[in-house]
Each structure stands twice: as C-alpha cells, then as structure tokens.
Amino acid sequence: MDINSDSVVVFSKGVMNPDEIDAMRKFNEALVPLLDAIGAKVIGKFEVETQFIGNCTAEFINAVQFPNAQVANDFFDSAEYENLLNYRDKAFSSLNIFLSKTANAGQIIQSDKALSVTFAMPNPSETEALQEYAEKAGKLSHRFSIKPIAKYVVTGQFFGECKAGFIAFSEADNSEEMQSFFDSSEYQKLVQLRDLGLKEANVYDLNQ
C-alpha cells in the first residue's frame, strides 16, 4: 500500500501477556471499530522470529496508517482510547507505540523475501560515528544481499520506555543471510562505532 504525503504511520511493538487473553480480546474488539471510524488502516502485522540486536524484547510489530498526524494525536488523546487503557495495560507485558513519518513517499512494507526491521535512536553527540557506521554497514550488507526497502522518521512516542528516532525495514534472500551479516567478523568490527552512533538499537527478524 502506498503511503501518501499527509499520512503518518503508528508502529507498535511489544510482548503480550499470556495470562490476560480475555483482556487482549476485549482490547482488540474495541480498538478495531475505533480505527475504522477515523480512516486508520493496518498496513503491516508481523511476528518477531529472532532479535539480532538489542535489549528491547518484542514478539510482534504492527503498523497502522492514519490520515495525518493530527488524527493520530487526537485518537490517542481521546476518551474512547482512554477507556481501553485498562485492557491494554493488562494485555501487554511490554508495549511501545511510536508516531512516524515516511522518509520516502510511496514506499510499502512488504516483501516476498526475508524481512527485518531496525528501531534505533541516534546519538546527536556522535554524528560522525553514526555516519561512518552507516556507510560501512551499508557496504557490508550488500555482500549479504541485504537491501533497504522502507524508512520512517519517528516524530513522537505515545507509550513505552524503548526509544527510536527512525524505523527502517530491510529484505534479504533469507533469514540466515541476515544472521550471518550480524555474526560476521566484519560486522563485529563495527559494533564500537554502532554503539557510539546509536543510543539504542533493536533489530528484529520478522515473519510476515
């Protein structure tokens, strides 16, 4: 699905609480019609297979497109959404919700190959380290057939403790190639640069 110039994407990621299945059911049953009523639509639902990098655990990642940022902000500030917080807070052991804007008009979040996503927070004090890491990691990723396909700039956060300044999707021929990339000796040499340039980084292997 194309992303138009005014629309924004709200990403949620987290871990479900297995002891609160009923709360999850009630939360989802109430949430869906609220989203439909304001023209918001789900454009991505993913299960996390593996976490390559990071300490912010997630079992799922969802993406919902809103007509614009004002609609998204009004939705999360609304009394209708506030009425769901009791169910939401029971249903998830951890949850992070980010407001984002597409960095490339018309991009889509889908692939017939293996898919990964990065949630990362740049360190503004280490822009040179981040640039060097991005350039070297980008060149190395080509050797493992890893290709960037979509990027979003995080403009706000509605909930959660994990941080992100951008969200980037990549594809590869298979998940093993992605794992080999992160395990490679060449990538390990970049970890110090990565940890300087990024305050926080979490990379997940996704099941579409």
Side-chain angles (χ1 to χ4, degrees), residues 146-160:
I146 299 173
K147 175 185 174 184
I149 60 171
K151 185 174 182 180
Y152 299 82
V153 176
V154 173
T155 57
Q157 185 163 355
F158 295 116
F159 189 75

Side-chain angles (χ1 to χ4, degrees), residues 30-41 66-67 71 75 80:
L31 181 66
V32 171
L34 292 180
L35 293 174
D36 288 343
I38 60 173
K41 36 196 167 180
F66 286 75
V71 171
F75 173 76
E80 291 84 357

Side-chain angles (χ1 to χ4, degrees), residues 7-11 98-102 152-156 158 167:
S7 67
V8 295
V9 178
V10 172
F11 287 93
F98 302 95
L99 176 66
S100 73
K101 184 70 176 175
T102 175
Y152 299 82
V153 176
V154 173
T155 57
F158 295 116
I167 299 165

